[in-house]
């Protein structure tokens, strides 16, 4: 095993562990936040960061260097679509007069 494979393996493992950390902190934040809009913002940011860390970890994984182009295309696609979908969901919630104060209608 070369030094390059060892270093890229450590980088890959560190990125995958960091993705679990962001996923756990984001899940706690989504539960604790008061209204739908702040929960949606947190979940979209956590989703984007976690996916980027997971795919970045796969990008550095030594055994799958042949599919780096596909992973890079997937990263670009997720960077474009994930914020756009959360914006569209928030916009439709606002158009349906979902209250900002966190209260729910019954």
């Amino acid at each position: 095993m070369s030094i390059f494979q060892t270093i890229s393996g450590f980088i890959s493992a560190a990125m995958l562990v960091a993705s679990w950390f962001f996923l756990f902190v984001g899940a706690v934040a989504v539960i604790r936040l008061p209204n739908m809009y702040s929960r949606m913002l947190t979940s979209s940011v956590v989703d984007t960061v976690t996916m980027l860390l997971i795919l970045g970890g796969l990008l550095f994984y030594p055994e799958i260097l042949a599919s780096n182009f596909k992973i890079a295309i997937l990263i670009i696609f997720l960077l474009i679509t994930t914020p756009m979908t959360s914006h569209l969901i928030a916009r439709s919630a606002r158009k349906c007069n979902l209250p900002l104060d966190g209260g729910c209608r019954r």
Side-chain angles (χ1 to χ4, degrees):
M1 192 178 231
S2 70
I3 190 75
F4 173 73
Q5 288 178 336
T6 305
I7 291 173
S8 66
F10 283 131
I11 291 172
S12 175
M15 291 179 89
L16 291 174
V17 168
S19 71
W20 278 100
F21 172 75
F22 278 107
L23 189 65
F24 177 72
V25 170
V28 170
V30 166
I31 292 170
R32 301 219 23 167
L33 289 173
N35 59 14
M36 196 270 308
Y37 295 105
S38 58
R39 287 178 184 157
M40 188 173 8
L41 173 68
T42 303
S43 66
S44 68
V45 169
V46 166
D47 178 40
T48 304
V49 170
T50 303
M51 276 303 191
L52 288 177
L53 284 172
I54 289 172
L55 290 173
L58 290 177
L59 198 64
F60 282 105
Y61 195 68
E63 279 80 24
I64 58 169
L65 290 176
S67 62
N68 281 347
F69 179 72
K70 293 176 188 176
I71 294 173
I73 293 295
L74 188 59
I75 288 172
I76 292 169
F77 178 74
L78 285 174
L79 279 175
I80 293 171
T81 57
T82 304
M84 190 183 311
T85 55
S86 64
H87 170 74
L88 290 174
I89 292 170
R91 186 174 176 195
S92 66
R94 186 70 181 142
K95 281 187 175 183
C96 291
N97 296 325
L98 194 71
L100 289 173
D101 62 353
C104 60
R105 292 182 234 165
R106 293 187 190 236

